[in-house]
């Protein structure tokens, strides 16, 4: 029995870092369905096959149209509702870093926020949305981002606009959200836009109600903390209701929320986060709550390093989905997850899940666990020079092979660069130095 209003459970795939190969995603979708997901929140970022004037946005490892069509077809077969996410205000680095679009920055120095005063900014956002819409059928929702709009109001045009008496930063923010949502309403009247709620939280009820935004979008209230304050969330939902929002979403996290360069996922932390959200859900009228997105961040932003890889966090995702589906967590839920993942002893409160599972990508989890626990320490101890080096080279080689099944070479290289190469280079250097010293002596 699914917990009250959490009948929609979307798994967020953050493709702005380490985007898995399409073949791997095809293996994973049926598992997600089995674990209790009802849909996907697909944050394409630079992996979408943009064409024409938008082609610069497309990363070298972007998915092809055919790959996405197959994936979306499989999602449909599995009964997974797809909700695309396209940023339209903040977190626009993947667009505004390109010279072709740099003139649309809010601040010339920083590529993260779009200038809301330029007509061309809205044309750009509409083109991006149209591109993504064209590849999807029968969408009910479309997420337009709008979180963490840093430096808003600090650009020259904003400063001038804010000097006029009635104008405020809040109105500036709301007017852009309204423009994007209105544009969607006229082009795609059957699709409801979703927005992250952090830019709305601090705005007064009166200002929100007058803006006309509540009639156009559904807010997604996000909080990834293990000690999330239930009461303040319940009050926030009530506030949004009074302003005129018809429905709200929640957003939890199953990975990518405990450290910018985290390599292993502590299941207990994320489970706690979901149990707190279940409490909020039980105090929210079911007709108000549309569902929950389980976010799995892969980078904190476009220029940030990688955090936990998706396969590493599958056990966490499994525990969190099952807790939501069963309205809580128990020994029975744990046993069920172990059975579904083929992992006989799942560790909730430590990182040491040593048993190898049978789920897609489980080899990566067990080898990443080895690297995270033992590589740095064993190199720092520098116990047995050569044998140590060959041992680690072998582990790294196995991990590389396992990762190449799932990720593009650029992801494998980036992860290795962040987590493996610095230590191995140190070790190689020491081995070389020692050999030189030994030769010199003899």
């Amino acid at each position: 029995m699914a917990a009250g209003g959490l009948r929609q459970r979307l798994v967020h795939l953050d493709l702005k870092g380490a985007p898995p190969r399409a073949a791997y995603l095809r293996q994973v979708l049926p598992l997600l369905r089995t674990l209790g997901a009802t849909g996907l929140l697909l944050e394409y970022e630079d992996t979408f096959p943009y064409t024409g004037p938008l082609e610069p946005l497309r990363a070298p490892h972007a998915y092809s149209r055919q790959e996405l069509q197959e994936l979306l077809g499989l999602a449909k077969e599995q009964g997974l509702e797809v909700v695309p996410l396209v940023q339209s205000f903040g977190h626009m680095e993947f667009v505004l870093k390109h010279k072709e679009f740099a003139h649309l920055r809010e601040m010339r120095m920083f590529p993260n926020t779009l200038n809301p005063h330029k007509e061309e900014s809205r044309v750009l956002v509409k083109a991006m949305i149209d591109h993504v819409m064209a590849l999807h059928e029968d969408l009910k929702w479309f997420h337009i981002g709008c979180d963490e709009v840093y430096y808003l109001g600090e650009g020259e045009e904003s400063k001038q606009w804010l000097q006029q008496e009635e104008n405020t930063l809040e109105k500036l923010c709301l007017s852009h959200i309204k423009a994007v949502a209105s544009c969607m309403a006229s082009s795609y009247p059957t699709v409801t836009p979703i927005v992250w709620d952090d830019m709305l939280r601090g705005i007064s009820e009166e200002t929100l109600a007058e803006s006309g935004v509540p009639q156009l979008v559904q807010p997604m209230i996000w909080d990834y903390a293990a000690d999330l304050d239930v009461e303040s969330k319940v009050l926030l939902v009530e506030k949004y209701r009074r302003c005129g929002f018809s429905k709200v979403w929640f957003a939890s996290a199953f990975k990518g929320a405990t450290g910018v360069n985290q390599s292993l996922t502590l299941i207990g932390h994320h489970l706690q986060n979901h149990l707190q959200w279940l409490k909020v859900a039980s105090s929210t009228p079911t007709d108000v709550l549309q569902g929950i997105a389980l976010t799995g961040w892969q980078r904190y932003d476009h220029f940030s390093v990688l955090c936990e890889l998706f396969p590493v966090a599958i056990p966490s995702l499994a525990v969190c989905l099952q807790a939501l589906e069963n309205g809580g967590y128990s020994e029975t839920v744990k046993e069920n997850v172990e059975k579904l993942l083929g992992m006989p002893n799942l560790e909730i409160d430590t990182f040491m899940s040593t048993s190898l599972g049978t789920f897609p990508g489980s080899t990566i989890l067990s080898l990443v666990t080895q690297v995270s626990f033992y590589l740095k320490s064993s190199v720092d101890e520098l116990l047995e020079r050569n044998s140590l080096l060959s041992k680690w080279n072998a582990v790294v080689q196995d991990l590389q092979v396992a990762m190449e099944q799932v990720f593009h070479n650029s992801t494998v290289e980036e992860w290795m660069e962040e987590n493996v190469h610095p230590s191995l280079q140190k070790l190689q250097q020491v081995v070389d130095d020692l050999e030189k010293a030994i030769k010199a002596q003899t």
Side-chain angles (χ1 to χ4, degrees), residues 38-146:
T38 65
L40 303 171
L41 178 60
L42 287 183
E43 182 158 1
Y44 289 113
E45 228 227 24
D46 59 0
T47 66
F48 191 82
Y50 289 108
T51 54
L54 296 181
E55 194 164 346
L57 309 188
R58 191 178 173 160
H61 54 259
Y63 298 105
S64 67
R65 284 183 68 82
Q66 191 189 342
E67 283 176 329
L68 287 183
Q69 279 161 339
E70 284 174 14
L71 204 60
L72 295 169
L74 180 59
K76 196 174 184 173
E77 271 170 43
Q78 293 287 330
L80 292 167
E81 185 89 48
V82 171
V83 179
L85 188 156
V86 172
Q87 285 287 5
S88 58
F89 204 176
H91 285 297
M92 293 277 284
E93 298 93 340
F94 77 105
V95 182
L96 300 176
K97 70 179 183 181
H98 296 286
K99 58 181 185 303
E100 295 90 333
F101 304 107
H103 62 289
L104 297 177
R105 297 173 179 185
E106 167 71 346
M107 286 193 77
R108 213 182 50 193
M109 295 279 293
F110 304 114
N112 44 3
T113 295
L114 191 65
N115 178 338
H117 305 278
K118 284 187 159 52
E119 179 57 33
E120 204 186 327
S121 292
R122 283 188 288 283
V123 172
L124 167 68
V125 168
K126 183 178 183 335
M128 288 164 66
I129 291 171
D130 289 344
H131 261 73
V132 174
M133 280 282 190
L135 205 63
H136 293 76
E137 291 166 8
D138 313 323
L139 290 180
K140 293 191 186 124
W141 296 279
F142 192 105
H143 202 310
I144 55 172
C146 299

Side-chain angles (χ1 to χ4, degrees), residues 77-380:
E77 271 170 43
Q78 293 287 330
L80 292 167
E81 185 89 48
V82 171
V83 179
L85 188 156
V86 172
Q87 285 287 5
S88 58
F89 204 176
H91 285 297
M92 293 277 284
E93 298 93 340
F94 77 105
V95 182
L96 300 176
K97 70 179 183 181
H98 296 286
K99 58 181 185 303
E100 295 90 333
F101 304 107
H103 62 289
L104 297 177
R105 297 173 179 185
E106 167 71 346
M107 286 193 77
R108 213 182 50 193
M109 295 279 293
F110 304 114
N112 44 3
T113 295
L114 191 65
N115 178 338
H117 305 278
K118 284 187 159 52
E119 179 57 33
E120 204 186 327
S121 292
R122 283 188 288 283
V123 172
L124 167 68
V125 168
K126 183 178 183 335
M128 288 164 66
I129 291 171
D130 289 344
H131 261 73
V132 174
M133 280 282 190
L135 205 63
H136 293 76
E137 291 166 8
D138 313 323
L139 290 180
K140 293 191 186 124
W141 296 279
F142 192 105
H143 202 310
I144 55 172
C146 299
D147 58 321
E148 302 181 325
V149 187
Y150 301 133
Y151 307 114
L152 182 63
E154 295 185 31
E156 287 313 308
E157 284 170 86
S158 288
K159 283 180 180 163
Q160 286 175 358
W161 187 86
L162 288 167
Q163 276 168 358
Q164 291 159 36
E165 196 163 338
E166 290 295 292
N167 292 345
T168 64
L169 207 49
E170 294 177 345
K171 285 183 180 170
L172 179 57
C173 179
L174 289 167
S175 68
H176 180 75
I177 294 175
K178 187 179 182 178
V180 175
S182 305
C183 161
M184 274 197 64
S186 58
S187 299
Y188 309 101
T190 59
V191 183
T192 305
I194 298 173
V195 295
W196 297 117
D197 85 306
D198 52 284
M199 298 300 290
L200 310 175
R201 278 175 215 166
I203 300 180
S204 74
E205 282 179 40
E206 191 187 2
T207 307
L208 278 173
E210 283 171 5
S211 70
V213 166
Q215 284 66 44
L216 291 165
V217 304
Q218 294 178 352
M220 188 173 266
I221 304 168
W222 60 272
D223 192 326
Y224 311 142
D227 58 355
L228 169 162
D229 183 343
V230 173
E231 199 179 335
S232 71
K233 288 293 178 288
V234 174
L235 293 173
L236 186 57
V237 173
E238 287 169 6
K239 168 184 163 172
Y240 286 153
R241 279 292 282 161
R242 288 194 299 270
C243 299
F245 289 103
S246 61
K247 302 266 190 191
V248 302
W249 292 79
F250 296 159
S252 56
F254 70 89
K255 78 174 191 86
T258 58
V260 66
N261 59 351
Q262 188 75 17
S263 61
L264 292 172
T265 306
L266 187 59
I267 299 176
H269 172 96
H270 298 285
L271 173 59
Q272 246 351 92
N273 175 243
H274 285 79
L275 296 177
Q276 293 297 89
W277 274 118
L278 279 171
K279 290 180 196 166
V280 182
S282 66
S283 307
T284 304
T286 42
D287 62 331
V288 176
L289 185 48
Q290 192 76 70
I292 186 166
L294 296 86
T295 65
W297 300 100
Q298 191 55 77
R299 298 185 191 280
Y300 280 23
D301 70 56
H302 183 79
F303 293 117
S304 192
V305 295
L306 294 172
C307 34
E308 311 105 292
L309 297 169
F310 184 77
V312 168
I314 283 180
S316 172
L317 175 58
V319 166
C320 297
L321 275 170
Q322 282 290 296
L324 292 180
E325 196 177 23
N326 291 282
Y329 185 71
S330 63
E331 198 50 45
T332 319
V333 172
K334 180 176 190 273
E335 284 166 14
N336 193 37
V337 169
E338 289 175 340
K339 194 164 77 231
L340 292 168
L341 299 180
M343 289 183 82
N345 48 357
L346 197 61
E347 282 287 351
I348 300 292
D349 297 311
T350 74
F351 290 113
M352 284 304 281
S353 285
T354 42
S355 61
L356 188 55
T358 56
F359 63 89
S362 56
T363 323
I364 292 178
L365 169 59
S366 91
L367 292 168
V368 164
T369 303
Q370 271 195 60
V371 167
S372 301
F373 270 93
Y374 304 117
L375 173 59
K376 289 191 180 72
S377 58
S378 67
V379 168
D380 293 342

Side-chain angles (χ1 to χ4, degrees), residues 362-420:
S362 56
T363 323
I364 292 178
L365 169 59
S366 91
L367 292 168
V368 164
T369 303
Q370 271 195 60
V371 167
S372 301
F373 270 93
Y374 304 117
L375 173 59
K376 289 191 180 72
S377 58
S378 67
V379 168
D380 293 342
E381 284 167 25
L382 268 179
L383 299 175
E384 303 154 81
R385 310 197 309 266
N386 271 330
S387 64
L388 184 66
L389 184 61
S390 53
K391 178 193 158 207
W392 276 115
N393 280 336
V395 171
V396 169
Q397 214 164 354
D398 289 350
L399 176 55
Q400 189 145 359
V401 170
M403 285 177 78
E404 279 167 0
Q405 300 292 305
V406 173
F407 299 110
H408 295 282
N409 293 344
S410 56
T411 297
V412 180
E413 280 165 24
E414 184 179 353
W415 196 90
M416 293 285 179
E417 200 53 57
E418 191 181 322
N419 295 283
V420 170

Side-chain angles (χ1 to χ4, degrees), residues 11-16 25 29 32 40-44 254 294 296 310:
V11 172
H12 170 235
L13 295 179
D14 175 20
L15 303 171
K16 77 169 83 68
L25 289 177
L29 290 195
L32 298 185
L40 303 171
L41 178 60
L42 287 183
E43 182 158 1
Y44 289 113
F254 70 89
L294 296 86
F310 184 77

